[in-house]
Amino acid sequence: MNALPDRYASDELVLREPGDGRTLAQRLSKRYAARITGAFVVPGRDGSFAPLPDDLPTALAQALRSRGIEQLYSHQADAWVATQSGAHVAIVTPTASGKSLCYTLPVITAAMTQHAKALYLFPTKALAQDQVAELLELNQAGDLGVKAFTFDGDTPGDARQAIRLHGDIVVSNPDMLHQAILPHHTKWAQFFENLRYVVIDEVHTYRGVFGSHVANVIRRLKRVCAFYGVTPQFILCSATIGNPKEHAEALIEDAVTAITESGAPTGDKHVLLWNPPVVNPDLGLRASARSQTNRIARLAIKSGMKTLVFAQSRTMVEVLTKYLKDVFDSDPRKPARIRAYRGGYLPKERRAAEREMRAGTIDGIVSTSALELGVDIGSLDVVVLNGYPGSVAATWQRFGRAGRRQQSALGVMVASSDPLDQYLVRHPEFFQGATPEHARIQPDQPLILLDHIRCAAFELPFIGDEMFGTDVATPWLDVLGEEGVLHREGDRWEWIADSYPAITVSLRSVADGNFVVVDRTNGRQTIIAEVDYSAAPVTLYEGAIHMIQSVPYQVERLDWEGRKAYVTRTHVDYYTDAIDYTKLKVLDCFDTSNAGCGQAHHGEVHVVRRVPGYKKIRFYSHENIGFGPVNLPDQELHTTAVWWQLAQLVLDAAFEQRQQALDGFLGAAYALHIVATVAVMAEARDLQKSVGSGDGAWFVSADVAGRGQIRGTDGQPVALAADAPFTPTVYLYDAFPGGIGQSEPLFSRREDLVAQSVTLIERCDCRGGCPGCVGPVLAADENAATTPKALALRVLALLVAL
Amino acid sequence: MLSVGPRAPSSDRMVPGIEIAPGLFLTEAIMEWGHPPAMIDTTFARWNEPVAHNRLLHFDTETTGLAGGTGTRAWMIGTADWLADGRFRLRQLTTTTMGAETDMLRNFARWLRPDTVLVSYNGKCYDSPLLKTRYRLARLPEPLTGLGHLDLLHPVRRHWKGSWENCRLATAERELLGVVREDDLPGSEAPAAWLSYLRGGSAVNLRRVMVHNSQDLKSVAGVLLHLAGLPS
């Protein structure tokens, strides 16, 4: 343990004068140059202001002034003009730039002058509660008489009726709209009849499967509104993403006026990308992100800077909080300087933390993504990310928490050993130049669409060739008629089943039912987690170590039909990794193009996934310490994919042995998967990879040593006859039935993906391959020409555009 | 899950009553039942004033299920009232098409006067909100709000919860009125009976539901008189 010299060393760096982000960034860069892989500055900006609009009701203007708001930022004034012109508006400005005033002004004005109602949708309950608190304060300040309520799962039954009748502003979430409001819209008739504004905040969180569901809930909302004769105006807010206007328009399927110029002043922002030092070069092992994060935070707080640390899990929040409290809160008689903030705390506790942060009595706060969204905690000087949050957009949202008007701020991203983190920290240009990811939705994904047409038919009958979204619903109504839930009479399709479809459709997960994880430790029966159907076979097999907040549980029994996994708390020094064999068959090729000496394709595939067993892998050293069998039904999936192929002639010329080509393809698939996951802002589990024969005759999986093993269609190892056709293929496929639209953008970026994969592998510090580039390999591989790393590069080189 | 299956058209499609609008059948029967006093004591419901017997309208719907929300509909409304001469009148509106619902709702609204007092068994939580939803969906004025409503489930619970196995209407009618039903189609099968008819099936069970609904209404009226006659 070298804690002492280390602490001494970092104490040297403590700023004795009141510091700013720039000075701290400079000192860190000097002392830890080897760990800093990227450093850049986002220049600050002067504020741009506008007077309070003349057409604002006097009482509202008065209330704003009494709250210290004498003028607006230019984007708030722009939003006012746009909403008053009747346009749908999307406001895209950084964190803490006063977005909520953009919708508060038109909504309160309409409530005061026309008794118009507004519906607010936030992705989380906490944000909804914050919003109501803010509205109530403003309302009180000016005695405006506007009533705002939250309406969520916690709203007591007896309060609901009053909210439906008397709420001017109802603040809810998409799940409640979907399951409670729309299927009971007649109870909300008065509300809908007067509905003027629909405010949807944090729309960047509505992407992928969740976003596709939400877009359909909005279709249903518009349909119900039409029944009550209203066409509400939408006001959407988003953090910075690559395509805010398109995304807003995709969500509401209407033209949107986008306001993207923030008028809020900011100071310079210094950004450092930080890779923990290598401690074992053979295995490519690095010091933990946690130790580095702790060190940076400690230094910042000692330098008198308000610091926010983002951790990836609730447990890590607690660990880091403890480490910081050990240093700064050792005297229990003094008020605490360090606070933790995460979901799972009581709202009261969270409010107290927010208040103390705003008041400036707290010096350090450690949080999960809970603080990434718009919770108001005032200004901060330093933000430290313990691990990459999964997207460039989320990284900037978190960094956005640091920044004051006059003073420079600092953001540090500390990479963990996760391949994605390692990829990003080694590509500083990715951050610096990158436009944030595009948010994508696919509202017409067949399974999702059918679910929502089902819900919509329950809410109001479909009549004639009615449109749902961009297409007529009729073919889907026929399906539901066949199923017996709809009955057709003349040109009307009416709901006839004794069921409530919204309850079986969850916006936040995929089809086929989630698995619940039941903890039976010491005779308990507690549900401790939910796992998506698609992830269940690779995470909940019997014998699996299932980690929850980094606490290991062992799966003792899996009730596949009942969708339950029974686990007990365990203490082991290993984790488990499912061996899954994926077999793909191409059904239809939509598009083909040349890729170097080979070809890239995009199309429809049939995927069969089997999990025959699992590996036990020791923590830290990642050695393989055993196997276990798994007995589960095959998973079949019809979806879309992008794939790369090299002809047999090309491969025979480039590789002495077929085995080497296979190893190369496995490594290339691993790298392509990492790069592609970043490219489409996907959750890693929503995009999967596979290597197999182009004709579906065999597929390849990694054996114990990380080497390619050919398996036949039955999953058993086979040897290829020397004259058998040999066209290994790497597939990246959408792990959602029917596909969720990831493969098309991947196909259009195919050249970029291959090029980036090459860079990823070339720049990796490891020798023969590691989890950061081509996947884990045994350390023993010394022949440099045939390491998995070298072989993967050879395959990719053949695919690089000529 | 409902299964559609092969639809074998049935030859027995006879629905009793007069077809007063396309797909809407009205049955009406007048009988001796209950011999109500002119004024019904309502202290059992903690009301202050007694109610003249001819202001009461007992009602009970048959629906497509219990799921709730906008997707559940009433396909039949049964009502019962005492005429001025004390005779008991049962009227049922039965739809045989979905499109007939609007006419059913209009007819039922005509049977309500501003001083009508509704009588039901669990109607406050079930039948009444369901009908209000249907009026709203049919874009018709909703006639129920504002009417007095004696829901007998609650006073029955207050009196006999704990001493009976449950407080369902079937239990109340057996315990209080000695009613024993023969060949009764349970209410839970009403949705299937209608659905099957709608899809071209036999009317046999539809008619059994109508009988069941009549008995329910007679029992509601009987339980009402029993409650009104309890010593206060």
Side-chain angles (χ1 to χ4, degrees), chain A residues 44-111:
Chain A
R45 190 183 42 229
D46 291 333
S48 162
F49 302 91
L52 292 180
D54 295 334
D55 41 353
L56 219 51
T58 322
L60 177 54
Q62 212 50 53
L64 290 170
R65 287 198 185 94
S66 76
R67 308 254 302 139
I69 301 167
E70 302 281 346
Q71 54 182 353
L72 297 182
Y73 294 137
S74 57
H75 62 277
Q76 294 167 335
D78 293 346
W80 172 261
V81 172
T83 52
Q84 297 313 297
S85 78
H88 300 305
V89 181
I91 299 128
V92 193
T93 54
T95 325
S97 57
K99 262 193 295 246
S100 62
L101 217 49
C102 295
Y103 48 79
T104 303
L105 299 184
V107 164
I108 291 195
T109 301

Side-chain angles (χ1 to χ4, degrees), chain A residues 171-458:
Chain A
V171 184
S172 190
N173 54 59
D175 314 76
M176 272 314 266
L177 179 61
H178 155 63
Q179 289 193 329
I181 298 177
L182 292 175
H184 282 286
H185 64 83
T186 52
K187 293 184 180 166
W188 292 82
Q190 280 165 294
F191 181 79
F192 280 116
E193 280 165 351
N194 296 294
L195 184 61
R196 169 74 188 278
Y197 287 110
V198 177
V199 172
I200 312 180
D201 205 345
E202 317 282 359
V203 295
H204 60 280
T205 61
Y206 302 136
R207 58 174 200 266
V209 176
F210 184 33
S212 306
H213 274 295
V214 171
N216 277 291
V217 173
I218 293 170
R219 289 172 170 176
R220 285 160 53 198
L221 171 66
K222 287 162 86 172
R223 194 166 171 260
V224 164
C225 285
F227 177 79
Y228 292 100
V230 294
T231 29
Q233 207 175 326
F234 284 84
I235 306 176
L236 304 100
C237 293
S238 173
T240 308
I241 49 173
N243 58 341
K245 181 172 151 75
E246 290 82 345
H247 183 54
E249 291 182 336
L251 275 174
I252 68 165
E253 295 178 299
D254 209 339
V256 156
T257 303
I259 294 168
T260 53
E261 282 298 309
S262 169
T266 55
D268 290 348
K269 188 162 297 162
H270 295 257
V271 171
L272 299 180
L273 303 186
W274 185 290
N275 207 0
V278 175
V279 292
N280 180 337
D282 279 336
L283 296 174
L285 281 186
R286 291 175 176 274
S288 71
R290 187 200 57 239
S291 66
Q292 306 290 301
T293 300
N294 183 32
R295 175 180 310 193
I296 299 163
R298 208 166 58 207
L299 184 57
I301 296 168
K302 281 191 177 168
S303 301
M305 303 170 83
K306 302 280 179 207
T307 301
L308 166 60
V309 176
F310 278 106
Q312 305 288 61
S313 72
R314 293 178 180 188
T315 314
M316 192 50 76
V317 165
E318 299 300 334
V319 169
L320 284 166
T321 305
K322 178 186 160 15
Y323 289 176
L324 290 174
K325 274 185 169 294
D326 285 347
V327 176
F328 295 104
D329 286 335
S330 47
D331 186 345
R333 290 164 301 180
K334 293 187 182 157
R337 296 174 65 192
I338 308 294
R339 270 270 201 182
Y341 186 103
R342 59 171 176 83
Y345 283 168
L346 295 176
K348 229 194 229 171
E349 218 168 328
R350 285 210 306 264
R351 295 298 93 76
E354 290 160 21
R355 252 195 327 273
E356 288 170 34
M357 281 305 282
R358 278 196 298 268
T361 56
I362 292 287
D363 295 318
I365 194 158
V366 186
S367 170
T368 54
S369 58
L371 274 183
E372 178 183 311
L373 302 172
V375 179
D376 180 16
I377 50 161
S379 305
L380 296 161
D381 303 302
V382 178
V383 167
V384 186
L385 310 187
N386 183 54
Y388 174 61
S391 73
V392 171
T395 305
W396 284 114
Q397 277 148 44
R398 292 178 186 199
F399 281 157
R401 280 297 184 182
R404 295 177 192 263
R405 289 182 179 200
Q406 311 290 338
Q407 206 171 302
S408 60
L410 171 65
V412 186
M413 201 280 277
V414 181
S416 77
S417 58
D418 186 271
L420 263 188
D421 285 39
Q422 286 300 314
Y423 173 68
L424 284 149
V425 79
R426 292 171 209 183
H427 293 75
E429 74 283 357
F430 192 92
F431 268 90
Q432 201 167 3
T435 45
E437 294 84 351
H438 286 226
R440 286 196 179 78
I441 55 170
Q442 188 96 329
D444 292 327
Q445 205 285 339
L447 291 181
I448 295 174
L449 182 64
L450 181 59
D451 270 346
H452 288 278
I453 289 182
R454 184 190 299 273
C455 294
F458 177 94

Side-chain angles (χ1 to χ4, degrees), chain B residues 121-195:
Chain B
Y121 206 82
N122 197 28
K124 274 191 182 169
C125 288
Y126 185 71
D127 307 72
S128 177
L130 191 150
L131 287 174
K132 286 178 186 173
T133 288
R134 301 317 301 180
Y135 278 102
R136 186 60 87 164
L137 287 170
R139 299 184 190 279
L140 292 173
E142 182 268 289
L144 297 164
T145 300
L147 299 185
H149 189 159
L150 291 163
D151 185 337
L152 307 186
L153 174 64
H154 307 286
V156 164
R157 276 207 186 125
R158 277 201 296 277
H159 276 98
W160 292 289
K161 191 180 176 188
S163 47
W164 296 350
E165 54 177 317
N166 59 47
C167 290
R168 287 155 53 178
L169 182 59
T171 310
E173 67 183 14
R174 189 179 67 237
E175 297 284 342
L176 301 180
L177 313 174
V179 170
V180 176
R181 302 198 191 199
E182 278 171 35
D183 189 35
D184 183 54
L185 188 79
S188 59
E189 287 180 35
W194 190 64
L195 195 51

Side-chain angles (χ1 to χ4, degrees), chain A residues 182-187 189-190 193 226-229 454 458-461 481-489 492 494-500, chain B residues 1-5 7 64-73 96-101 129 132-134 136-139 191 194-195 198-199:
Chain A
L182 292 175
H184 282 286
H185 64 83
T186 52
K187 293 184 180 166
Q190 280 165 294
E193 280 165 351
F227 177 79
Y228 292 100
R454 184 190 299 273
F458 177 94
E459 286 149 11
L460 288 168
E482 285 292 309
E483 200 185 293
V485 297
L486 295 190
H487 183 79
R488 181 177 190 165
E489 199 173 276
R492 288 168 73 92
E494 307 242 15
W495 189 261
I496 192 66
D498 182 13
S499 59
Y500 189 95
Chain B
M1 197 72 247
L2 294 158
S3 76
V4 179
R7 297 172 197 192
T64 55
L66 298 170
T70 46
T72 306
R73 54 172 61 222
T96 58
T97 63
M98 299 196 135
E101 183 189 38
K132 286 178 186 173
T133 288
R134 301 317 301 180
R136 186 60 87 164
L137 287 170
R139 299 184 190 279
W194 190 64
L195 195 51
L198 201 63
R199 291 175 175 157

Side-chain angles (χ1 to χ4, degrees), chain A residues 758-780:
Chain A
V758 171
T759 324
L760 166 71
I761 301 173
E762 279 176 346
R763 289 214 197 151
C764 191
D765 300 333
C766 71
R767 288 177 192 160
C770 76
C773 57
V774 297
V777 292
L778 284 190

Side-chain angles (χ1 to χ4, degrees), chain B residues 68-147:
Chain B
T70 46
T72 306
R73 54 172 61 222
W75 55 270
M76 170 190 203
I77 305 174
T79 71
D81 52 355
W82 282 292
L83 302 174
D85 60 9
R87 283 183 307 158
F88 192 66
R89 175 173 64 171
L90 274 170
R91 286 179 293 179
Q92 288 171 319
L93 293 163
T94 308
T95 60
T96 58
T97 63
M98 299 196 135
E101 183 189 38
T102 306
D103 282 316
M104 175 179 78
L105 295 172
R106 280 205 187 99
N107 270 278
F108 177 63
R110 276 186 221 124
W111 296 349
L112 303 171
R113 296 184 309 259
D115 69 341
T116 295
V117 170
L118 298 167
V119 187
S120 71
Y121 206 82
N122 197 28
K124 274 191 182 169
C125 288
Y126 185 71
D127 307 72
S128 177
L130 191 150
L131 287 174
K132 286 178 186 173
T133 288
R134 301 317 301 180
Y135 278 102
R136 186 60 87 164
L137 287 170
R139 299 184 190 279
L140 292 173
E142 182 268 289
L144 297 164
T145 300
L147 299 185

